[in-house]
């Protein structure tokens, strides 16, 4: 894995983790009873994006480190994958 591959892998993991975290603990404006005029009732009430972005950064870094260890440490090689594929 080269530098570009590592950066792309981290970016993909970060967005994936962020999209998984977005609905967790979310309440809609209708649930809270405070619908802002001009927005749908299902729109999020206080999405707490900063906290979720920080968590996404930490979780993606851990997942990236594990994948980088597997790739760079030679735990699984391309030859192994070719043998498994048959």
């Amino acid at each position: 894995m080269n530098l570009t591959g590592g950066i792309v892998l981290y970016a993909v993991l970060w967005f994936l983790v962020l999209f998984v975290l977005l609905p967790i603990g979310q309440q809609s404006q209708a649930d809270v009873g405070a619908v802002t005029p001009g927005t749908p009732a299902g729109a999020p009430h206080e999405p707490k994006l900063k906290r979720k972005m920080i968590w996404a950064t930490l979780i993606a870094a851990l997942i990236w480190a594990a994948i980088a260890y597997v790739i760079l440490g030679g735990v699984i090689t391309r030859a192994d994958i070719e043998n498994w594929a048959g």
Side-chain angles (χ1 to χ4, degrees):
M1 175 169 50
N2 57 16
L3 178 63
T4 305
I7 292 170
V8 169
L9 177 62
Y10 182 79
V12 169
L13 287 172
W14 189 86
F15 278 103
L16 178 67
V17 171
L18 179 65
F19 289 144
V20 168
L21 291 176
L22 281 177
I24 294 176
Q26 191 63 46
Q27 291 182 327
S28 69
Q29 293 180 14
D31 292 340
V32 177
V35 179
T36 303
T39 63
H45 175 75
E46 296 182 11
K48 301 175 185 169
L49 288 177
K50 184 176 180 179
R51 174 183 284 178
K52 291 181 181 182
M53 290 172 78
I54 292 170
W55 274 107
T57 302
L58 296 174
I59 294 169
L62 290 174
I63 296 170
W64 182 87
I67 293 172
Y69 173 75
V70 169
I71 292 172
L72 297 175
V75 176
I76 298 175
T77 63
R78 289 183 184 173
D80 295 333
I81 294 172
E82 289 175 4
N83 290 336
W84 291 337

